[in-house]
Amino acid sequence: MLLITRKIPPAVAARAAREHMVRQLEIQGVFDSAVLLENLEGVDAILCTPADRFDAALIGKLPQQVRVIATFSVGLEHIDLAAAAAQGVEVCNTPDVLSTATAELALTLMLMAARRAGEGERLLRAGKWAGLSPTFFLGRRVSGKTLGIFGMGRIGRELAGMARGLGMTVHYRNRSRLAPELELGAVYHGDDASFLGAIDFLSINAPGGAETYHWLNAARIGMLKPGAVVVNTGRGSAVDDEALIGALRSGHVLAAGLDVYNNEPHVHPGYLELENAVLLPHIGSATVETRDAMGFLALDGIKRVLGIDGDQ
Ligand code: DGY
């Protein structure tokens, strides 16, 4: 029996029903582990989402027959992997298939932030547009500028390709330098100061977790050139909100485009007051094509762990 925690795309639900007996929960908003625990009878596989927190306490309460947790995400920080391993539960995620969609959204945010697209739309809808003038609503050009990618994994490399198409120069900061065929001419930086000092746009594409927690803090923001633009489609935990909000207020950071936040779905109220913050509700991978592909990949993982053969 496959337990699915939240509503999933129809094509994925149809395939899940062909391959398993399905128990479909329709959790909305905040995850309630009690609801999950009440529904585990006969369940050997769970399909969850990044909004469902599987901490050690919950994993410890899973019945022995649960053999796999597949998550509708590449990110795994909502699952205590050590606790799952100790309990003999395999964890599967959905890498690769969301790279293009997430990179597209990073690009969208970069352009929106630089060209003041959110602010302009709000002004027009409020009936405040008085007409063209040479000094009206000036943003910043993206083409010809330098993009710095923090976290040059699959998503970061997709974004690099898109940015090159716009005539941007790409620099990156990563745990280690990439091979030339992956780097494709992007400039590697071995330390934060040289990286942050070299770029006009910063895109955070690193995973969450302890290693990147509040990486973009006041000290590192201070290393950015005045007027830099910050985009985050990785994890909200990589940003110290107070520091970024302060820099957006002072203008040291010209604008920010954010899709991910600390404490989602709660967004720091400081951002909400800022015209120079473009705020999207964690939709990096939210395309029909990508969400289907993610669901199919998660189902592949479940089939592998449960030893189900072939297409059903
Ligand atoms: C992921 O896959 O980790 C995204 O952030 C959610 O779509």
Side-chain angles (χ1 to χ4, degrees):
M1 167 92 67
L2 169 64
L3 179 91
I4 303 176
T5 59
R6 295 177 192 249
K7 194 169 171 204
I8 58 173
V12 183
R15 182 178 142 186
R18 287 198 300 278
E19 295 178 348
H20 304 273
M21 298 273 290
V22 171
R23 186 168 298 145
Q24 173 73 64
L25 305 183
E26 300 235 346
I27 299 175
Q28 285 174 11
V30 179
F31 177 61
D32 182 352
S33 59
V35 173
L36 182 103
L37 289 168
E38 280 162 16
N39 281 284
L40 287 174
E41 200 182 329
V43 167
D44 53 6
I46 298 173
L47 179 54
C48 71
T49 77
D52 309 326
R53 177 148 298 284
F54 283 74
D55 56 18
L58 173 57
I59 290 172
K61 290 183 195 152
L62 296 178
Q64 281 298 320
Q65 85 265 5
V66 175
R67 292 171 54 201
V68 53
I69 301 171
T71 175
F72 225 99
S73 62
V74 64
L76 286 165
E77 53 286 304
H78 53 296
I79 302 176
D80 188 320
L81 298 178
Q87 174 112 345
V89 176
E90 275 209 46
V91 176
C92 311
N93 64 340
T94 62
D96 290 323
V97 294
L98 46 62
S99 304
T100 304
T102 309
E104 280 179 359
L105 199 83
L107 189 66
T108 305
L109 284 170
M110 201 159 84
L111 290 164
M112 285 182 75
R115 300 303 301 270
R116 304 172 63 186
E119 189 186 350
E121 213 214 0
R122 283 190 292 279
L123 174 132
L124 183 147
R125 284 180 186 273
K128 293 184 182 162
W129 185 30
L132 273 175
S133 94
T135 54
F136 177 63
F137 234 78
L138 303 182
R140 294 296 163 93
R141 199 169 78 176
V142 172
S143 302
K145 299 283 172 61
T146 300
L147 168 64
I149 298 178
F150 176 64
M152 193 71 151
R154 288 165 284 227
I155 298 170
R157 296 198 300 273
E158 281 279 341
L159 177 62
M162 295 174 188
R164 282 185 200 103
L166 280 175
M168 300 185 87
T169 304
V170 179
H171 289 224
Y172 72 101
R173 177 96 175 92
N174 208 33
R175 264 196 223 109
S176 55
R177 185 165 181 178
L178 301 178
E181 65 273 18
L182 296 178
E183 201 173 61
L184 296 173
V187 180
Y188 173 71
H189 290 262
D191 68 87
D192 291 331
S194 78
F195 172 63
L196 293 167
I199 62 180
D200 304 303
F201 288 79
L202 169 66
S203 175
I204 299 176
N205 296 100
E211 218 182 312
T212 57
Y213 183 76
H214 285 192
W215 174 78
L216 191 65
N217 56 16
R220 290 193 181 88
I221 287 173
M223 295 172 189
L224 283 166
K225 292 183 202 171
V229 172
V230 172
V231 168
N232 189 7
T233 55
R235 282 293 180 263
S237 57
V239 173
D240 175 343
D241 290 329
E242 297 289 344
L244 181 57
I245 289 165
L248 285 164
R249 282 196 186 124
S250 74
H252 180 69
V253 170
L254 179 80
L258 307 176
D259 185 48
V260 289
Y261 307 88
N262 289 289
N263 308 318
E264 290 178 16
H266 306 290
V267 176
H268 192 302
Y271 289 122
L272 305 178
E273 301 161 1
L274 290 170
E275 286 290 3
N276 55 348
V278 180
L279 307 173
L280 295 179
H282 201 150
I283 53 170
S285 65
T287 68
V288 172
E289 299 87 342
T290 304
R291 287 286 161 84
D292 281 354
M294 290 168 77
F296 296 147
L297 196 56
L299 291 177
D300 289 346
I302 292 170
K303 274 203 333 190
R304 182 183 50 74
V305 176
L306 297 184
I308 302 171
D309 291 327
D311 289 332
Q312 307 291 306

